Structures are given as structure tokens and as C-alpha cells.
């Protein structure tokens, strides 16, 4: 697969504020790439640099192998963008805005394009005859989404595109994005909606404070998290537990409360853990796989929780 | 300290306007004081004032512009020169204030936030009325104090201040009504400004058709003036025959409208309007294509409006000159007064008057053109620019479109003004000559207006966040220094800074076009520099 977006050690400073501080991001063709991070982590700044609307202060960024700042308008022929907070022209109707944006992207109003537009208007259930100023946030977002999806692109850059949509519309959005990726397009999807990321994304990059803290497939990331283990404490002695802790070095937060032993273990040590538990003949065993939510929370939390972050970063 | 909701809302309004209102009050007071000084300096003797008043009384187009003369006292002359203009300015301040604190709040969604608290639906409106009333008291006090400072009659000064405050209050109510009628702040502001214009025109019609007094030194307005709040303020005649009663009309009018607004506000839904919002098209027309097509679509109503203003001012410029010369020829006394201002016979007098008015039209064209760059900045800061520039639209092209639109605006406003002047000159004896001269005056405004456009572009490129405020400030400074620098005796180097100082007076034989050529060159260089700078900077939201 060919690389569509590549940034290395990307930096961006606004005065004394470091918005991006070593951001690495790679997105390949045919891939839906989740771009995650807490508010203010630098997602929108990264996207604006990739669109050539801002210039990086250091490091490198390329889109289709070219400089997004210098070659902005040439690159935009192959790109479609949906901003997180869509502003429309107050006295242009939604239909006019869609047509205008389509024409600027090189659309000529062929029958196929018109059919595609009509299909999307119908699927997203949008009335194109209302003035831009009268649309709600969700409807403004639909206008930008329809304009982006109406003309095929090689790269879709979507900044929290569904934050104002209802679940039904999110479903329509997912179908369209999956179809675009299946046709070979690359998609960079910034989102806070974990179920959306889980459904759509092949790989994710998590950033915090302008740095990449984690990148990989969802399966990789799951693998790096801890699994919660609990069983009945009845009949177990202190040496038994000591033996368990000694056997598996990656057992954390071991507690005994309410008659149950609880701890977490790194998910990749689970195969070594199971024989030990069997030897202790533990009762009422429960093993909970890591949730994505837990994974994200660990990365999102601030430095009060810095431990988890350092551990995650230390891994290959 | 825990204040009640009304006090909180009032505090919020005072806090939001803490710079704007003081600047307004100081500007209005300074304008009143400085004009008084200027009139006193230019028309120091009774004979000069009498000559001026006699010209005015016999010149309907001058009465339309200024109002009705009320005697030859210096203060009365200042009131005649200033009041209608001052009242219209204060009226606009009030309509903007009313809409900003009512419809704009609803449109932005902040009214929901406030309405969900103990403040409820009516209290914010009450707070806006009180805040506006207090602002008008301050504006009136500013005028009163300025007139007292230059030594005018205290009763007259007080009545002048009261007239300004009452007129302001009437238009505060007009602004609030517009905010009830229309769904958007832009629409409400536009309607309210148009109504201020209607009030001005009604007064103008009434004053132009007024009857002169027996001594020929004052005019009683015709009935249309009595339909206009600006007319009511003017009828107080504070320095001639003081009469506060017309202000009761202003106050009654304001109270009636405010009562109606309270009624509407308490029955309608939040974010709804009395007049329904029109729907739009399902498909874009074939003309809405490309970034210039969009810029044109966004700006043409504004270009049309400014061009109509140019047409009207041009018509006045054309008509005024002719009337004045008729007058000069029929009255040896006035003829003498005029000859001292403009030696060189009939044609030269008309040309000089036209040229003087055309220099104002040049400022109008510059203001209209700068709106184009201001729109560019609003597109960028509002977020629509981001949507557009993520498409294959070149940054340089995008900016050039708005600069081209600005240049087109200048051409349109000046062409409209020349056309208007041509219409005003139709009954002139040597129409062809006069029109050629007027066209020259129109063309002469081009370089200064282009330079102001380029200055706005430079501000956009290098200080985007403050460019809108600085653009207007630059225009006001250039206008003030260029138009009034001589009157206030500003040093030569300071006057030389204003582009308008270098506009050739084409009416004068052998006019100096070198300054115009230099300004044109500067405008081109500045625009190129601005485009280069804007391409190099980040998009600034």
C-alpha cells in the first residue's frame, strides 16, 4: 500500500505556545485512520498543516509525497475536507453551497454527479432549500459531508465529522466512508466517538500535547493494555498469592477486598498466567478483556497519571 | 454581592460596551466642539454669517443636506450645520446598539443561555432599553458639555443635548422593532439603517420645501419634517426660539414603539421573527461558480447600496452647483461672497463646488472598496474561508478576487456619482462641458480610493486579527486629516499623510496629477506586497 500522509517530528508553535511537538503520523491508501486525542492536543492544527492552511515550524509533512504548503491547490484536487465546526455562508442555501463547493473541486454537473448528489441528500435527509444561517450544527455538517462525498477523492480529511449527527445519520456516514476506503481512498478521521473509531478504523494514532503517544492497529493497542482478573479469596493463603506475584512479574494493583482477589495483568502475559491460576485451583474466576474506553482514558488522562503513559511509550 | 437579574443584565451590557460607548460619546462631543470652533473661525463676522445663511435659505439642495437655518447667531449656525448629521449618526449608533443586544444575541444562541436563567424572556429586553437610554443621556450630555465649553447659551446647549438624546431614544426603539421583525442581525441592522435614511430624507424634503421668514434668515420646515424624529429634534430650535415641546413627540414615539416591542417579545418564540425567513434555491445558479462568483454573490448588495449612495450624492453635487450660481447671479451681495471663495466666473464656481462634493464621494468609494477586504477577513475568521481553501482554490487567487472586487466597487460608485451629477446638470446651459469636468472630478478620486483599498489589504495581510478595526480607523483618520486638516490648521506633513490630500482638484486649470500618479503606483506596490504577505502567513481564525 502506498503512503498518502506522512509527518515526521512535525512541530508547530504559535508565539510561545507549542501546539505540535514531534508529531508522527502515517496514513496509507485504502486505510481509514483514526486520529485521536483530548481537546487541544493538536488534531485540528495537524489537519490544517496537511491542508496547507498553516505551515509547520519544524519537522516534515507530506501529502501524496508533496509539500502541502507549497502545492496546496494541486493537492486539493485529490482531497476532500470536512471541518469540525462547519461555517456556511448565511445567505446561500445548503444546495447552493454544495453546488459551489462541488464546482470548485472540478465538478461539472454530469448526470452521474447529479444522481450522486440526489442520493446523498436523500440518505442524509437534508433539505437543500434552506438558507445557511438557518441550519443547525448537524445540518451544516451534513452540507459539508455531502459536498465532500459527492465528488470522489483520493484522500478524505474529516475533523470530528459526526459530532452533530444523530445515530441514524452516523450509520449513513459509516457506510459512505467504508465504500470510499474500499475504492482505495485514504481517510484521516479525527473523532471522539469510540464506537465510530472501533467500527471504521483500521489503524489509530493517539496524540497528546502535540506528540504522538501511540500508533497501531486496534488489535495491537488492545494487546498493550491490561486484563482485569478476579477470583474468590476463599481457601487461599498469603504464600499462595506471593507465589502468583513472583511467577508473573507484570501483575499490578493486587488487592483483596470483599472476599475476592483482584489484580490486572499485561494482556500479553495472559498465557503464562493461566497455568498458575489452575495450579491454585481458584474459584469463581473472571477475566475481563480490556475495553477501548479504558485504553483511550489511559492515554487521554493528564500527567497525574503519567505512569501509564511512560510505560506505554517504553514499549517497542 | 448578590445582585438581582436585572442589575446583572445591565452590568453585562455596560461591560460589553465599556469601550464602544465612551468612544461614541467622546467622538460626538469632539465633533460638536470642533465644528463650533471651525464655524467661529470661518464665519467670524455677522456679515459673513448673514451671507452664508442667505445662500442657504435660497438653496433647497443645501437645506436638504443640512437642515433649516435658524438665524445668524454662531451657535444657531453650528446647530444648522451640524444637527441633522449628528442626529443621524446618533440614530445609527442606537439602532446598532439595539440590534447587538437583542437580535444578535438570539441569533448567536446566547439569548437561550440567558433566557434559561431567572432572567426569563422579557428582562433582557428591559435591560437593553435601560442601557440604551443611559447611553443616550451620555451622548446628550456630551453635546451639551461641548457647546457649554465653547461658550454657547446654556439653555440652548441643554436643549441641544436633550434633542440628541431624545432622537437617539426614538431610534433605539426603531432598532428594537427591526430586531423583532427580522430573523437575522444583519437584516435588522440593514432595515434599521434604511429607516434612519428615510427619517433623514423626510426631514430633507420638509426642509427643502420650507418657507423662508420675512428677514430671509431662517426657514420654517414643511410638514414632511414633522414626520421624522430627526426633524423633531431640529424643531427645538435651541439657539433661536427654544421650544422643548417637539421632544415630547420623540419620547412618545419611543415609548409607543417600546411598548409594542415588549408586546411582541412576550408573545413570540425565541429566535422566531414577525416576518418569516425566505427559503433559498435547491440548486446554485450557473453564475455561482469559482471563488470570484462567490465573492460577487456575497458583495453585490453592498456594492449596489454604495453605488446608489454615490448616485444620490452625485445628483446633489450636480444640482447644487447650478442653484448656487443662479443665486449668485440674481443677488449681488451673495455673488460677492461667492466670488471671494471662487474667483473665475460661473463655470469655475460650479466646478469647484462639484469638486468639493466629489472629494466626499471619493471617501465613499474608498469605504465601499474597503468593505470588500473586510469581507475577505470575515470569511477567513468566520471559518468559511477554511472550507474554501481546502478546495483547489489558490490563496493568491482568493485574495486577488476580493481586491478586484474592491476596484470594481470603486469604479461602480464613481461611475454612479458621475451619472448622478450628469442628471443634476441636465438643465445647465453648457451641459457637455460641465459633464466633462464632473467626469474628470470622478476620475480624480480613483488613485486615493485605490490606495485606501491597498492599505486595507496590507492590514489584512500583516495584522489580520485587528485589520477590520484598523481599516476603519485608517479611513477615518485619512478623511479627517484630508478634509478638515486645513480647517483645524494641522501641519503640512501631517496632511500629506492622507491620500485624500493628494487627490487632484480637476476643476482647477493645470491640476497637479503627479500626486495621483504616485498614489496609483503606491497602491499597486502595496497591493502586491499585501498579496505576497498574505500568501506567506497561516490562515488566522
Amino acid at each position: 500500500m502506498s503512503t498518502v500522509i506522512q509527518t515526521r517530528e512535525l512541530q508547530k508553535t504559535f508565539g510561545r505556545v507549542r501546539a505540535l511537538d514531534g508529531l508522527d503520523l502515517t496514513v496509507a491508501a485504502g486505510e481509514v485512520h483514526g486520529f485521536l486525542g483530548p481537546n487541544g492536543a493538536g488534531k485540528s492544527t495537524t489537519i490544517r498543516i496537511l491542508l496547507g492552511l498553516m505551515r509547520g515550524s519544524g519537522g516534515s509533512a507530506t501529502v501524496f509525497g508533496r509539500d502541502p504548503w507549497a502545492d496546496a491547490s494541486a493537492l486539493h484536487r485529490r482531497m476532500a475536507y470536512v471541518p469540525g465546526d462547519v461555517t456556511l455562508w448565511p445567505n446561500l442555501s445548503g444546495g447552493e453551497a454544495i453546488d459551489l463547493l462541488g464546482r470548485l473541486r472540478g465538478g461539472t454537473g454530469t448526470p452521474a454527479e447529479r444522481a450522486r448528489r440526489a442520493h446523498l441528500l436523500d440518505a442524509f435527509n437534508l433539505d437543500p432549500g434552506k438558507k445557511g444561517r438557518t441550519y443547525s450544527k448537524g445540518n451544516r455538517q451534513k452540507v459539508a459531508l455531502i459536498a465532500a462525498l459527492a465528488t470522489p477523492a483520493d484522500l478524505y480529511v474529516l475533523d470530528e465529522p459526526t459530532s452533530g449527527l444523530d445515530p441514524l445519520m452516523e450509520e449513513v456516514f459509516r457506510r459512505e466512508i467504508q465504500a470510499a476506503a474500499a475504492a482505495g481512498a485514504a481517510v484521516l478521521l479525527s473523532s471522539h466517538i469510540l464506537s465510530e473509531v472501533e467500527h471504521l478504523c483500521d489503524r489509530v494514532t493517539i496524540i497528546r500535547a502535540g506528540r504522538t503517544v501511540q500508533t497501531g492497529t486496534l488489535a495491537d493497542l488492545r494487546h498493550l493494555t491490561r486484563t482485569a482478573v478476579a477470583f474468590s479469596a476463599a481457601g487461599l493463603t498469603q504464600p499462595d498469592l506471593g507465589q502468583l506475584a513472583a511467577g508473573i512479574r507484570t501483575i499490578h494493583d493486587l488487592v483483596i477486598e470483599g472476599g475476592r482477589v483482584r489484580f490486572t495483568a499485561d494482556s500479553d502475559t495472559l498465557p503464562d498466567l493461566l497455568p498458575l491460576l489452575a495450579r491454585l485451583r481458584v474459584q469463581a474466576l473472571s477475566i475481563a478483556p480490556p475495553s477501548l474506553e479504558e485504553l483511550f482514558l489511559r492515554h487521554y488522562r493528564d500527567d497525574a497519571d503519567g505512569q501509564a503513559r511512560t510505560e506505554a511509550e517504553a514499549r517497542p | 454581592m448578590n445582585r438581582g437579574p436585572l442589575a446583572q443584565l445591565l452590568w453585562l451590557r455596560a461591560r460589553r460596551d465599556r469601550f464602544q460607548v465612551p468612544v461614541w460619546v467622546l467622538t460626538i462631543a469632539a465633533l460638536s466642539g470642533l465644528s463650533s470652533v471651525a464655524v467661529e473661525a470661518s464665519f467670524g463676522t455677522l456679515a459673513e454669517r448673514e451671507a452664508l445663511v442667505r445662500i442657504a435659505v435660497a438653496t433647497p439642495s443645501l437645506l436638504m443636506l443640512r437642515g433649516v437655518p435658524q438665524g445668524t447667531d454662531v451657535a444657531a449656525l453650528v446647530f444648522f450645520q451640524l444637527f441633522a448629521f449628528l442626529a443621524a449618526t446618533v440614530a445609527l449608533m442606537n439602532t446598532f446598539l439595539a440590534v447587538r443586544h437583542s437580535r444578535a444575541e438570539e441569533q448567536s444562541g446566547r439569548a437561550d443561555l440567558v433566557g434559561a436563567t431567572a432572567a426569563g424572556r422579557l428582562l433582557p429586553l428591559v435591560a437593553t432599553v435601560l442601557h440604551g437610554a443611559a447611553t443616550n443621556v451620555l451622548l446628550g450630555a456630551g453635546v451639551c458639555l461641548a457647546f457649554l465649553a465653547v461658550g454657547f447659551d446654556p439653555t440652548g446647549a441643554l436643549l441641544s443635548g436633550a434633542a440628541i438624546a431624545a432622537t437617539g431614544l426614538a431610534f433605539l426603539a426603531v432598532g428594537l422593532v427591526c430586531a423583532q421583525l427580522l430573523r437575522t442581525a444583519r437584516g435588522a441592522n440593514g432595515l434599521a439603517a434604511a429607516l434612519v435614511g428615510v427619517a433623514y430624507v423626510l426631514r430633507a424634503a420638509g426642509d427643502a420645501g420650507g418657507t423662508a421668514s420675512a428677514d430671509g434668515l431662517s426657514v420654517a420646515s414643511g410638514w414632511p419634517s414633522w414626520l421624522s424624529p430627526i426633524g423633531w429634534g431640529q424643531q427645538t430650535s435651541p439657539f433661536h426660539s427654544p421650544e422643548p415641546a417637539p421632544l415630547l413627540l420623540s419620547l412618545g414615539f419611543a415609548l409607543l414603539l417600546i411598548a409594542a416591542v415588549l408586546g411582541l417579545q412576550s408573545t413570540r418564540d425565541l429566535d422566531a421573527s414577525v416576518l418569516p425567513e425566505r427559503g433559498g434555491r435547491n440548486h446554485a445558479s450557473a453564475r455561482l461558480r469559482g471563488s470570484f462568483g462567490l465573492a460577487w454573490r456575497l458583495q453585490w448588495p453592498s456594492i449596489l447600496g454604495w453605488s446608489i449612495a454615490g448616485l444620490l450624492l452625485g445628483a446633489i453635487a450636480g444640482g447644487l452647483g447650478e442653484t448656487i450660481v443662479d443665486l449668485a447671479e440674481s443677488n449681488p451681495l451673495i455673488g460677492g461672497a461667492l466670488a471671494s471663495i471662487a474667483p473665475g466666473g460661473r463655470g469655475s464656481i460650479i466646478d469647484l463646488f462639484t469638486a468639493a462634493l466629489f472629494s466626499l464621494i471619493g471617501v465613499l468609494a474608498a469605504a465601499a472598496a474597503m468593505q470588500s477586504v473586510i469581507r475577505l477577513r470575515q470569511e477567513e475568521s468566520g471559518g468559511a474561508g477554511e472550507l474554501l481553501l481546502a478546495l483547489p482554490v489558490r490563496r493568491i487567487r482568493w485574495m486577488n478576487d476580493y481586491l478586484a472586487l474592491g476596484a470594481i466597487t470603486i469604479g461602480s460608485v464613481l461611475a454612479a456619482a458621475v451619472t448622478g451629477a450628469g442628471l443634476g446638470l441636465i438643465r445647465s446651459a453648457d451641459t457637455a462641458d460641465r459633464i466633462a469636468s464632473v467626469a474628470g472630478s470622478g476620475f480624480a478620486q480613483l488613485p486615493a480610493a485605490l490606495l485606501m483599498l491597498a492599505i486595507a489589504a496590507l492590514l489584512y495581510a500583516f495584522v489580520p486579527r485587528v485589520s477590520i478595526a484598523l481599516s476603519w480607523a485608517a479611513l477615518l483618520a485619512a478623511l479627517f486629516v484630508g478634509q478638515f486638516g486645513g480647517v483645524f490648521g494641522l501641519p503640512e506633513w501631517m496632511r500629506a499623510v492622507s491620500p485624500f490630500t493628494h487627490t487632484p482638484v480637476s476643476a482647477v486649470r493645470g491640476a497637479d496629477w503627479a500626486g495621483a500618479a504616485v498614489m496609483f503606483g503606491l497602491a499597486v506596490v502595496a497591493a502586491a506586497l499585501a498579496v505576497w504577505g498574505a500568501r506567506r502567513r497561516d490562515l488566522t481564525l
Side-chain angles (χ1 to χ4, degrees):
Chain A
M1 279 198 294
S2 62
T3 304
V4 174
I5 294 177
Q6 176 122 52
T7 78
R8 279 209 192 93
E9 283 295 313
L10 188 60
Q11 318 263 338
K12 178 68 186 174
T13 51
F14 296 107
R16 269 179 297 179
V17 179
R18 285 189 162 279
L20 298 183
D21 188 15
L23 189 120
D24 298 315
L25 175 68
T26 308
V27 180
E31 168 190 27
V32 182
H33 194 101
F35 193 39
L36 310 164
N39 296 324
K43 299 190 295 292
S44 293
T45 302
T46 308
I47 285 175
R48 289 193 180 124
I49 290 175
L50 293 174
L51 288 166
L53 300 175
M54 288 181 175
R55 181 151 50 167
S57 318
S60 70
T62 59
V63 177
F64 295 112
R66 297 167 72 175
D67 176 357
W69 176 263
D71 301 328
S73 133
L75 285 172
H76 292 168
R77 288 179 200 288
R78 306 176 64 182
M79 296 168 72
Y81 169 53
V82 177
D85 194 356
V86 179
T87 310
L88 296 176
W89 297 277
N91 51 355
L92 260 64
S93 73
E96 284 180 301
I98 291 170
D99 286 347
L100 172 73
L101 295 171
R103 286 169 188 174
L104 284 168
R105 282 183 57 203
T108 49
T110 61
E113 281 172 8
R114 297 166 74 92
R116 173 83 176 138
R117 179 188 189 272
H119 159 76
L120 287 168
L121 279 175
D122 185 50
F124 280 107
N125 194 18
L126 178 80
D127 173 6
K130 288 169 83 175
K131 291 282 177 74
R133 57 172 165 259
T134 62
Y135 283 123
S136 65
K137 175 178 163 68
N139 280 332
R140 289 201 306 274
Q141 228 154 15
K142 286 183 197 174
V143 169
L145 271 172
I146 292 172
L149 293 169
T151 316
D154 297 328
L155 169 61
Y156 294 84
V157 178
L158 313 170
D159 193 356
E160 297 182 33
T162 58
S163 52
L165 296 190
D166 63 52
L168 215 59
M169 292 304 127
E170 268 184 64
E171 185 53 42
V172 175
F173 166 75
R174 279 178 204 167
R175 258 204 323 269
E176 295 294 338
I177 291 303
Q178 276 161 345
V187 180
L188 181 65
L189 173 67
S190 145
S191 176
H192 283 305
I193 301 169
L194 300 181
S195 64
E196 180 174 286
V197 173
E198 199 166 11
H199 270 91
L200 275 177
C201 296
D202 307 300
R203 294 197 312 136
V204 302
T205 292
I206 301 176
I207 70 168
R208 201 178 61 191
R211 298 178 65 86
T212 302
V213 293
Q214 192 64 257
T215 188
T217 65
L218 283 174
D220 287 345
L221 296 187
R222 273 214 177 83
H223 206 59
L224 293 174
T225 57
R226 297 187 195 146
T227 300
V229 182
F231 46 82
S232 170
L236 291 178
T237 61
Q238 204 60 38
D240 288 341
L241 293 176
Q243 188 188 350
L244 190 67
I248 301 295
R249 298 221 160 269
T250 57
I251 284 180
H252 308 271
D253 314 325
L254 182 76
V255 290
I256 304 171
E257 55 176 25
R260 283 180 76 74
V261 179
R262 297 172 191 280
F263 62 85
T264 59
D266 290 353
S267 301
D268 51 354
T269 60
L270 218 52
D272 305 328
L273 183 66
L274 290 173
L276 287 174
L277 293 177
R279 206 170 310 142
L280 290 173
R281 307 196 77 78
V282 298
Q283 307 276 314
L285 174 66
S286 73
I287 296 179
S291 72
L292 266 183
E293 203 171 330
E294 183 205 352
L295 168 74
F296 292 136
L297 285 178
R298 247 178 72 195
H299 286 298
Y300 276 35
R301 276 202 188 108
D302 226 338
D303 278 284
D305 243 25
Q307 191 68 24
R309 180 188 171 201
T310 348
E311 278 179 18
E313 275 173 340
R315 285 171 189 286
Chain B
M1 196 179 74
N2 195 9
R3 287 172 289 199
L6 183 61
Q8 295 273 12
L9 290 171
L10 273 173
W11 178 84
L12 176 68
R13 279 157 179 73
R15 154 107 195 150
R16 278 187 69 192
D17 289 349
R18 69 192 186 284
F19 295 119
Q20 193 163 11
V21 167
V23 166
W24 283 354
V25 171
L26 287 178
T27 308
I28 291 293
L31 209 60
S32 312
L34 291 174
S35 309
S36 307
V37 173
V39 167
E40 202 139 26
S42 317
F43 303 97
T45 68
L46 186 65
E48 285 170 320
R49 291 199 295 273
E50 231 183 84
L52 180 76
V53 170
R54 282 187 197 286
I55 296 175
V57 167
T59 313
S61 40
L62 209 60
L63 298 181
M64 284 178 82
L65 270 181
R66 297 291 190 165
V68 283
Q70 300 164 339
T72 52
D73 190 51
V74 174
L77 198 58
V78 169
F79 188 82
F80 154 62
Q81 293 256 39
L82 198 61
F83 182 79
F85 171 72
L86 216 55
T89 311
V90 166
L92 286 174
M93 288 173 174
N94 269 282
T95 56
F96 284 132
L97 181 141
V99 172
R100 186 171 64 252
H101 290 296
S102 55
R103 178 55 69 180
E105 288 291 285
E106 282 187 55
Q107 202 187 347
S108 71
R110 282 192 293 268
D112 297 35
L113 213 57
V114 173
T117 67
R121 280 182 304 141
L122 278 184
L123 223 45
L125 184 60
V126 174
T128 303
V129 170
L130 293 178
H131 171 64
T135 302
N136 282 310
V137 169
L138 288 177
L139 287 166
V143 171
C144 176
L145 290 176
F147 281 170
L148 285 177
V150 292
F152 288 177
D153 168 50
T155 316
L158 191 64
L159 192 51
S160 303
I164 285 293
T167 311
L169 196 66
F171 282 100
L172 178 79
V174 168
L176 289 173
V177 169
C178 294
Q180 294 291 324
L181 293 181
L182 295 177
R183 178 108 189 270
T184 65
R186 189 186 275 260
N189 274 326
L191 178 62
L195 289 175
V196 173
V198 168
Y200 198 88
V201 166
L202 278 174
R203 179 213 57 74
D207 291 354
T211 40
S213 64
D215 61 1
L217 293 175
S218 58
V219 171
S221 302
W223 60 267
S225 292
W226 287 92
L227 300 177
S228 157
I230 300 177
W232 299 333
Q234 188 177 257
Q235 302 309 326
T236 56
S237 182
F239 298 106
H240 185 241
S241 46
E243 179 54 78
L247 297 186
L248 291 178
L249 282 173
S250 314
L251 294 180
F253 175 78
L255 289 178
L256 207 68
L257 291 189
I258 288 170
V261 165
L262 283 169
L264 286 171
Q265 177 84 8
S266 55
T267 50
R268 75 173 169 87
D269 295 341
L270 197 76
D271 204 26
S273 54
V274 176
L275 302 177
E277 179 87 353
R278 273 183 310 158
R281 311 160 55 99
N282 283 345
H283 288 270
S285 80
R287 271 170 305 163
L288 184 57
R289 164 181 301 282
S291 58
F292 186 81
L294 175 65
W296 173 256
R297 169 72 190 268
L298 296 176
Q299 283 301 96
W300 75 259
S302 152
I303 296 176
L304 183 67
W306 287 101
S307 299
I308 290 174
L311 186 80
L312 292 177
L313 260 180
I316 290 171
L320 186 66
E322 203 56 42
T323 319
I324 280 177
V325 174
D326 285 351
L327 199 73
E329 289 181 340
S330 66
N331 185 331
L333 189 71
I334 300 171
L338 271 179
S340 68
I341 310 171
R346 183 187 169 92
S348 136
I349 296 173
I350 300 183
D351 289 348
L352 260 186
F353 270 98
T354 324
L357 262 170
F358 259 89
S359 70
L360 280 180
I361 291 168
V363 177
L364 191 76
M370 289 169 92
Q371 285 225 310
S372 176
V373 177
I374 286 170
R375 168 66 80 151
L376 174 68
R377 173 61 196 148
Q378 285 168 339
E379 285 283 286
E380 181 183 14
S381 64
E386 187 181 10
L387 204 58
L388 204 68
L389 291 177
L391 303 167
V393 174
R394 289 179 188 278
R395 287 273 283 278
I396 292 179
R397 169 69 201 273
W398 189 50
M399 183 161 176
N400 283 341
D401 285 341
Y402 281 89
L403 289 180
L405 202 60
I408 290 172
T409 308
I410 295 175
S412 168
V413 171
L414 293 180
V418 169
T419 309
L423 293 175
L425 284 166
I426 278 185
R427 66 191 184 86
S428 177
D430 42 1
T431 307
D433 278 7
R434 294 277 81 74
I435 288 180
S437 157
V438 157
S441 286
F443 183 70
Q445 310 306 320
L446 203 59
L450 283 174
L451 185 53
M452 289 311 295
L453 173 68
I455 288 171
L458 277 178
L459 292 169
Y460 165 80
F462 293 101
V463 281
R465 282 180 208 283
V466 289
S467 63
I468 295 180
L470 285 185
S471 295
W472 288 127
L475 182 72
L476 280 180
L479 167 68
F480 182 78
V481 172
Q483 293 279 327
F484 304 113
V487 178
F488 294 120
L490 294 181
E492 196 60 38
W493 64 265
M494 195 188 268
R495 290 170 61 191
V497 172
S498 168
F500 299 116
T501 305
H502 306 287
T503 292
V505 183
S506 65
V508 178
R509 210 159 290 284
D512 183 11
W513 288 84
V518 170
M519 283 200 290
F520 186 77
L522 275 180
V524 171
V525 172
L529 186 66
V531 171
W532 175 80
R535 175 64 185 97
R536 286 176 52 81
R537 73 166 167 81
D538 288 344
L539 194 78
T540 313
L541 289 171

